[in-house]
Amino acid sequence: MAADTVKITINGLTYSFSMGDNFGQIPWNETLLDTLRNRLNLTAAKKACDEGACGCCTVIKDGDAVPSCMQLTADCDGSSITTLEGLADPVTGELSELQKKFIEYNAFQCGFCTPGIIMTTKALLDKNPNPTEEDIREALSGNYCRCISHYHVLEAVNALAGRPVDLDKKWEGRR
Ligand code: FES
Ligand code: FES
């Protein structure tokens, strides 16, 4: 296939990628996940299952949460991509309210699931700032977490949706 150029806006910066099989070019079959991690050093999105089943590689593409391991970089021409690295304030580095809420609620344990869970949550809240518990569970159904953090994530997202739990009461006598 002839060399071509693919333009993608990632976290507000527009990149032009030369596509092809020559040195320095991006192969047509390279995934967005590999381009993010290996070429741009945006390593928040994790490669776990690499087959669209776990949600660890989730990024936001044109407003939708998508598994970046299932997207070809070539197919993202003209798209706008947001990764976890794009959530903090680019000038001050201050974390977004979403990230702060996850910290407040201890809604994380391993570093593999959490980036994808946060990006799925962001896509949900951008579209629907007041999701129901059912909306939240449905949105996060593709993000697998095998630890107790799953319950803390639900609490954090419920808090973002306006249904906070009393953390002082919850942790009374335990911290
Ligand atoms: S690594 Fe992409 S869904 Fe699991
Ligand atoms: S946060 Fe990774 S298994 Fe729960």
Side-chain angles (χ1 to χ4, degrees):
M1 196 174 285
D4 205 343
T5 299
V6 163
K7 282 191 178 184
I8 310 175
T9 299
I10 301 170
N11 298 336
L13 296 175
T14 300
Y15 297 83
S16 294
F17 297 111
S18 176
M19 309 300 290
D21 295 325
N22 295 320
F23 181 76
Q25 292 185 311
I26 292 186
W28 291 96
N29 63 354
E30 181 167 302
T31 65
L32 176 63
L33 177 61
D34 282 342
T35 299
L36 292 172
R37 291 183 57 83
N38 301 339
R39 299 181 189 275
L40 302 181
N41 203 28
L42 296 171
T43 55
K46 299 294 183 288
K47 184 183 278 192
C49 71
D50 205 19
E51 55 183 27
C54 72
C56 292
C57 65
T58 302
V59 300
I60 299 177
K61 178 185 178 188
D62 298 328
D64 294 322
V66 297
S68 57
C69 70
M70 299 300 286
Q71 302 280 319
L72 293 180
T73 299
D75 289 339
C76 294
D77 189 30
S79 293
S80 178
I81 305 292
T82 304
T83 72
L84 183 72
E85 290 92 339
L87 297 196
D89 186 297
V91 177
T92 65
E94 184 178 354
L95 296 180
S96 65
E97 290 307 311
L98 169 53
Q99 290 166 297
K100 288 178 184 173
K101 195 61 77 180
F102 269 63
I103 291 172
E104 182 184 350
Y105 276 78
N106 288 321
F108 52 88
Q109 195 165 98
C110 80
F112 261 81
C113 322
T114 311
I117 290 171
I118 290 178
M119 298 316 290
T120 298
T121 301
K122 176 163 174 53
L124 169 68
L125 295 175
D126 283 350
K127 289 181 184 173
N128 177 8
N130 302 109
T132 63
E133 173 83 24
E134 195 179 340
D135 293 334
I136 295 168
R137 287 175 181 268
E138 171 67 28
L140 289 171
S141 62
N143 292 85
Y144 286 0
C145 164
R146 298 288 187 229
C147 71
I148 192 72
S149 292
H150 182 69
Y151 299 101
H152 299 176
V153 165
L154 292 175
E155 287 181 350
V157 184
N158 268 294
L160 288 158
R163 296 183 297 275
V165 301
D166 185 339
L167 286 178
D168 287 339
K169 198 170 173 188
K170 175 182 172 182
W171 295 109
E172 200 175 345
R174 286 191 275 172
R175 67 179 178 185

